[in-house]
Amino acid sequence: MSSLKQILTDGDNFARETGCRITDIREGYARAELTVERRHLNAAGVCQGGVYFTLADITFAAVMNSHQQVTVGVQNSIIYLRSAHEGDTLIAETEETCNHHRLPFCETRITNQHGDLLCIVTGSGYRKKDSFNYDTLG
Protein backbone atom coordinates (compact mmCIF):
# COMPACT_ATOMS: atom_id res chain seq x y z
CA MET A 1 0.00 0.00 0.00
CA SER A 2 1.46 3.35 -0.99
CA SER A 3 0.28 6.82 -0.11
CA LEU A 4 0.62 10.04 -2.06
CA LYS A 5 2.76 11.37 0.81
CA GLN A 6 5.13 8.39 0.49
CA ILE A 7 5.31 8.68 -3.32
CA LEU A 8 6.17 12.38 -3.15
CA THR A 9 8.59 11.92 -0.25
CA ASP A 10 10.45 9.03 -1.89
CA GLY A 11 10.10 10.23 -5.48
CA ASP A 12 11.12 13.89 -5.23
CA ASN A 13 14.85 13.57 -4.65
CA PHE A 14 15.52 17.30 -4.86
CA ALA A 15 12.89 18.27 -2.29
CA ARG A 16 14.03 15.49 0.06
CA GLU A 17 17.73 16.41 -0.29
CA THR A 18 16.84 20.07 0.33
CA GLY A 19 15.25 19.06 3.63
CA CYS A 20 11.53 19.38 2.81
CA ARG A 21 9.23 17.24 4.95
CA ILE A 22 5.58 16.78 4.00
CA THR A 23 3.60 16.77 7.24
CA ASP A 24 -0.01 16.68 6.04
CA ILE A 25 -1.97 15.95 2.86
CA ARG A 26 -5.72 16.14 2.52
CA GLU A 27 -7.80 16.58 -0.61
CA GLY A 28 -7.12 20.16 -1.70
CA TYR A 29 -4.62 20.89 1.10
CA ALA A 30 -1.00 20.10 1.97
CA ARG A 31 1.58 21.22 4.53
CA ALA A 32 5.35 20.84 4.57
CA GLU A 33 8.22 22.10 6.70
CA LEU A 34 11.91 22.79 6.34
CA THR A 35 14.49 23.96 8.87
CA VAL A 36 16.79 26.61 7.38
CA GLU A 37 20.38 25.41 7.58
CA ARG A 38 23.66 27.05 6.58
CA ARG A 39 23.46 25.29 3.19
CA HIS A 40 20.21 27.19 2.45
CA LEU A 41 21.72 30.66 2.87
CA ASN A 42 22.60 32.98 0.00
CA ALA A 43 25.49 35.46 -0.18
CA ALA A 44 23.49 37.98 1.88
CA GLY A 45 23.21 35.46 4.73
CA VAL A 46 19.46 34.87 4.40
CA CYS A 47 17.47 31.95 3.02
CA GLN A 48 17.88 31.60 -0.75
CA GLY A 49 14.66 32.14 -2.72
CA GLY A 50 14.82 28.75 -4.40
CA VAL A 51 14.37 27.11 -1.00
CA TYR A 52 11.00 28.82 -0.55
CA PHE A 53 10.03 27.80 -4.08
CA THR A 54 11.06 24.16 -3.57
CA LEU A 55 9.05 23.93 -0.36
CA ALA A 56 6.02 25.47 -2.08
CA ASP A 57 6.47 23.20 -5.10
CA ILE A 58 6.27 19.98 -3.08
CA THR A 59 3.03 21.07 -1.38
CA PHE A 60 1.70 22.28 -4.74
CA ALA A 61 2.36 18.80 -6.18
CA ALA A 62 0.59 17.18 -3.23
CA VAL A 63 -2.51 19.36 -3.57
CA MET A 64 -2.70 19.15 -7.34
CA ASN A 65 -2.46 15.35 -7.28
CA SER A 66 -4.75 14.83 -4.27
CA HIS A 67 -7.65 13.99 -6.59
CA GLN A 68 -5.91 10.89 -8.07
CA GLN A 69 -5.50 12.52 -11.46
CA VAL A 70 -2.01 13.31 -12.77
CA THR A 71 -1.58 17.07 -12.63
CA VAL A 72 1.55 19.01 -13.59
CA GLY A 73 2.44 22.61 -12.87
CA VAL A 74 2.23 25.07 -15.74
CA GLN A 75 2.64 28.44 -14.02
CA ASN A 76 3.84 29.77 -10.67
CA SER A 77 4.40 33.23 -9.26
CA ILE A 78 6.27 33.99 -6.06
CA ILE A 79 6.32 37.09 -3.87
CA TYR A 80 8.97 37.39 -1.15
CA LEU A 81 7.82 39.42 1.86
CA ARG A 82 10.39 38.68 4.58
CA SER A 83 13.68 36.86 4.88
CA ALA A 84 14.24 33.65 6.82
CA HIS A 85 17.44 33.03 8.74
CA GLU A 86 19.47 30.02 9.79
CA GLY A 87 17.54 28.03 12.40
CA ASP A 88 14.11 29.24 11.27
CA THR A 89 11.44 26.70 10.42
CA LEU A 90 9.64 27.37 7.16
CA ILE A 91 6.05 26.12 7.03
CA ALA A 92 4.32 25.92 3.65
CA GLU A 93 0.55 25.50 3.51
CA THR A 94 -1.03 25.10 0.10
CA GLU A 95 -4.74 25.25 -0.56
CA GLU A 96 -6.57 24.62 -3.76
CA THR A 97 -8.56 27.75 -4.59
CA CYS A 98 -10.07 26.42 -7.82
CA ASN A 99 -10.56 22.71 -8.48
CA HIS A 100 -11.05 23.10 -12.22
CA HIS A 101 -11.21 19.85 -14.21
CA ARG A 102 -8.27 20.93 -16.46
CA LEU A 103 -6.68 24.10 -14.99
CA PRO A 104 -6.73 23.97 -11.17
CA PHE A 105 -5.26 26.86 -9.14
CA CYS A 106 -3.54 26.95 -5.73
CA GLU A 107 -2.14 29.43 -3.25
CA THR A 108 0.77 28.68 -0.93
CA ARG A 109 1.57 30.74 2.13
CA ILE A 110 4.97 30.25 3.73
CA THR A 111 5.40 31.34 7.33
CA ASN A 112 8.11 30.90 9.93
CA GLN A 113 7.82 29.27 13.35
CA HIS A 114 6.42 32.54 14.77
CA GLY A 115 3.63 32.74 12.18
CA ASP A 116 5.24 35.61 10.25
CA LEU A 117 4.24 35.55 6.58
CA LEU A 118 7.43 35.25 4.51
CA CYS A 119 6.23 34.48 1.02
CA ILE A 120 3.17 33.80 -1.13
CA VAL A 121 3.23 31.49 -4.15
CA THR A 122 0.35 31.11 -6.57
CA GLY A 123 0.22 28.54 -9.30
CA SER A 124 -1.88 26.68 -11.78
CA GLY A 125 -1.65 23.18 -13.11
CA TYR A 126 -2.79 21.10 -16.02
CA ARG A 127 -4.79 17.95 -15.29
CA LYS A 128 -3.96 15.11 -17.61
CA LYS A 129 -6.30 12.23 -18.40
CA ASP A 130 -4.04 9.75 -16.57
CA SER A 131 -4.90 8.48 -13.11
CA PHE A 132 -2.42 8.88 -10.26
CA ASN A 133 -2.44 5.50 -8.50
CA TYR A 134 -2.04 5.51 -4.75
CA ASP A 135 -4.06 4.01 -1.92
CA THR A 136 -4.28 6.90 0.58
CA LEU A 137 -3.27 10.56 0.78
CA GLY A 138 -1.24 10.44 3.97
Side-chain angles (χ1 to χ4, degrees):
M1 176 188 279
S2 62
S3 68
L4 178 59
K5 181 177 177 181
Q6 180 183 13
I7 291 167
L8 292 174
T9 299
D10 295 344
D12 193 322
N13 296 319
F14 185 75
R16 186 181 63 251
E17 292 297 320
T18 303
C20 299
R21 299 173 306 280
I22 298 173
T23 58
D24 189 16
I25 300 176
R26 299 187 302 266
E27 190 170 289
Y29 173 85
R31 185 177 193 273
E33 296 182 7
L34 176 142
T35 301
V36 179
E37 301 172 7
R38 182 172 171 77
R39 65 184 171 141
H40 299 124
L41 304 180
N42 63 20
V46 296
C47 187
Q48 206 273 345
V51 175
Y52 294 96
F53 193 86
T54 299
L55 188 61
D57 190 51
I58 194 69
T59 57
F60 176 84
V63 169
M64 288 290 165
N65 290 287
S66 68
H67 302 285
Q68 289 197 326
Q69 192 171 351
V70 175
T71 307
V72 295
V74 294
Q75 182 278 330
N76 284 285
S77 177
I78 189 165
I79 300 170
Y80 302 100
L81 303 170
R82 289 187 170 175
S83 297
H85 303 275
E86 187 173 359
D88 283 345
T89 299
L90 303 182
I91 302 155
E93 292 185 280
T94 299
E95 292 188 73
E96 187 172 59
T97 56
C98 179
N99 180 17
H100 187 271
H101 69 283
R102 279 285 173 240
L103 300 170
F105 187 83
C106 287
E107 179 180 273
T108 302
R109 298 171 64 84
I110 298 179
T111 59
N112 64 15
Q113 70 275 15
H114 305 294
D116 300 321
L117 183 60
L118 306 178
C119 157
I120 299 171
V121 182
T122 57
S124 57
Y126 176 75
R127 288 222 164 100
K128 300 174 80 174
K129 293 178 182 176
D130 306 324
S131 295
F132 200 130
N133 296 316
Y134 53 83
D135 298 311
T136 64
L137 291 174

